[in-house]
Amino acid sequence: MREYQSLLVEQQGAIAHVMINRPAKANSMDEAFWTEMVEVFDWVDRTDSVRVAVISGVGRNFSAGIDLQMLAQAAGSMVADIGRNAERIRHNILKLQSAFNAVDECRKPVIAAVHGYCIGGAIDLISACDMRYCTPDAHFSIKEIDMGMAADVGTLQRLPRLIGDGIMRELAYTGRPVYGEEAARIGLVNQVFADHDALLEGVMDIARQIAAKSPLAIRGTKEMIRYSRDHSVADGLNYIATWNAAMLQSEDLKVAVAAHMSKKPAEFAD
């Protein structure tokens, strides 16, 4: 793995551990972060030996969201013409969105392990992940409203499908914090672990369980879930029928059946 400016990436067996690595800045998302996320998740997607990805934060926090210095620099680059400013801002927003689209569209499951601050852009990030887990002190907040803006990198589009429309609106309109236990109660996270060490241990165990399954079956399942999220039931049923017309001919199915009958662990090819 090459070295990154804002991320630390390690491959642990079949698991890619992607760590936001700016602890002195509460892991805020600087300009390099957005480009590196696209690059890293392209690598995760196309690397057969990686079957699952875990995202966490180095130090005391997951992430305090977008680096305010980056916003200040963007504001300083504005010109006199409103039309050109609007085009530039739109282009920049779409570029930021692509970083988390890369997470959402990655064929491999992506799990967020959250502790400390998870604010603003960090909510956009975890909303794009497959599952989320946290510590009791994890601090979630859709902070954009307190900055005089609407969240624009995925929270308002993805979060209602995770926690429901009403509670999402409450959090988006008020910016109030949600901590670990409430996050679990409203469905923002799957489970709360006692502390950071237990969180990483628990999430890695879940990742290992996923990595032990047929990679084709896991990737197909994620594809179907994503497709069904954005299409009708009828469209989803038609797609899975077409998908499995090919995938049910995979060697993975034979391996899984043989392992089940012999009561031995299955070993699937990457």
Side-chain angles (χ1 to χ4, degrees):
M1 294 299 302
R2 82 169 183 85
E3 291 189 2
Y4 294 95
Q5 184 175 321
S6 294
L7 301 174
L8 178 63
V9 183
E10 298 176 350
Q11 184 173 350
Q12 302 173 12
I15 303 166
H17 190 183
V18 181
M19 292 160 275
I20 309 173
N21 190 29
R22 301 185 73 225
K25 298 291 185 179
N27 290 331
S28 57
M29 301 167 173
D30 63 352
E31 189 168 354
F33 167 88
W34 303 94
T35 302
E36 291 176 355
M37 283 291 288
V38 174
E39 181 178 333
V40 166
F41 277 92
D42 174 68
W43 169 79
V44 170
D45 188 81
R46 60 183 166 78
T47 302
D48 290 340
S49 62
V50 172
R51 298 187 181 184
V52 188
V54 170
I55 302 179
S56 68
V58 174
R60 299 174 60 185
N61 300 287
F62 180 75
S63 173
I66 193 167
D67 191 324
L68 295 182
Q69 184 175 354
M70 179 178 161
L71 290 180
Q73 290 173 347
S77 68
M78 293 297 100
V79 297
D81 186 272
I82 294 174
R84 285 173 172 76
N85 282 339
E87 182 184 40
R88 180 176 300 179
I89 292 170
R90 182 176 185 275
H91 174 78
N92 288 339
I93 292 171
L94 291 174
K95 180 181 178 182
L96 301 186
Q97 289 176 358
S98 69
F100 299 156
N101 289 344
V103 174
D104 187 15
E105 295 168 6
C106 179
R107 293 178 302 146
K108 323 292 178 64
V110 183
I111 308 172
V114 181
H115 74 296
Y117 285 137
C118 181
I119 294 174
I123 300 288
D124 296 295
L125 170 55
I126 67 167
S127 297
C129 294
D130 291 83
M131 297 105 77
R132 292 146 295 279
Y133 299 85
C134 75
T135 56
D137 66 343
H139 175 132
F140 302 90
S141 175
I142 304 175
K143 203 65 176 172
E144 285 88 346
I145 197 68
D146 291 331
M147 304 301 295
M149 61 177 287
D152 56 9
V153 196
T155 289
L156 304 182
Q157 292 70 37
R158 295 187 175 106
L159 201 58
R161 302 173 187 274
L162 303 176
I163 65 175
D165 185 78
I167 188 66
M168 183 280 298
R169 289 174 187 254
E170 177 187 324
L171 300 182
Y173 295 158
T174 66
R176 75 169 179 84
V178 169
Y179 298 97
E181 296 301 333
E182 183 182 2
R185 190 170 67 250
I186 65 177
L188 179 57
V189 301
N190 291 28
Q191 185 178 345
V192 180
F193 290 92
D195 54 38
H196 189 210
D197 289 341
L199 170 68
L200 289 179
E201 182 179 348
V203 166
M204 286 298 179
D205 182 61
I206 293 166
R208 284 189 290 270
Q209 292 179 51
I210 296 170
K213 308 298 184 184
S214 158
L216 272 180
I218 290 291
R219 295 196 293 263
T221 299
K222 178 167 182 176
E223 175 70 12
M224 291 309 120
I225 292 170
R226 287 190 63 253
Y227 185 88
S228 295
R229 178 191 66 188
D230 301 326
H231 295 80
S232 70
V233 172
D235 287 342
L237 290 171
N238 185 62
Y239 189 25
I240 186 62
T242 304
W243 183 278
N244 268 359
M247 293 305 165
L248 290 181
Q249 300 181 59
S250 166
E251 286 296 315
D252 286 21
L253 186 63
K254 299 174 185 177
V255 171
V257 170
H260 181 74
M261 294 180 68
S262 66
K263 302 188 186 305
K264 295 179 180 179
E267 293 187 11
F268 299 101
D270 291 331

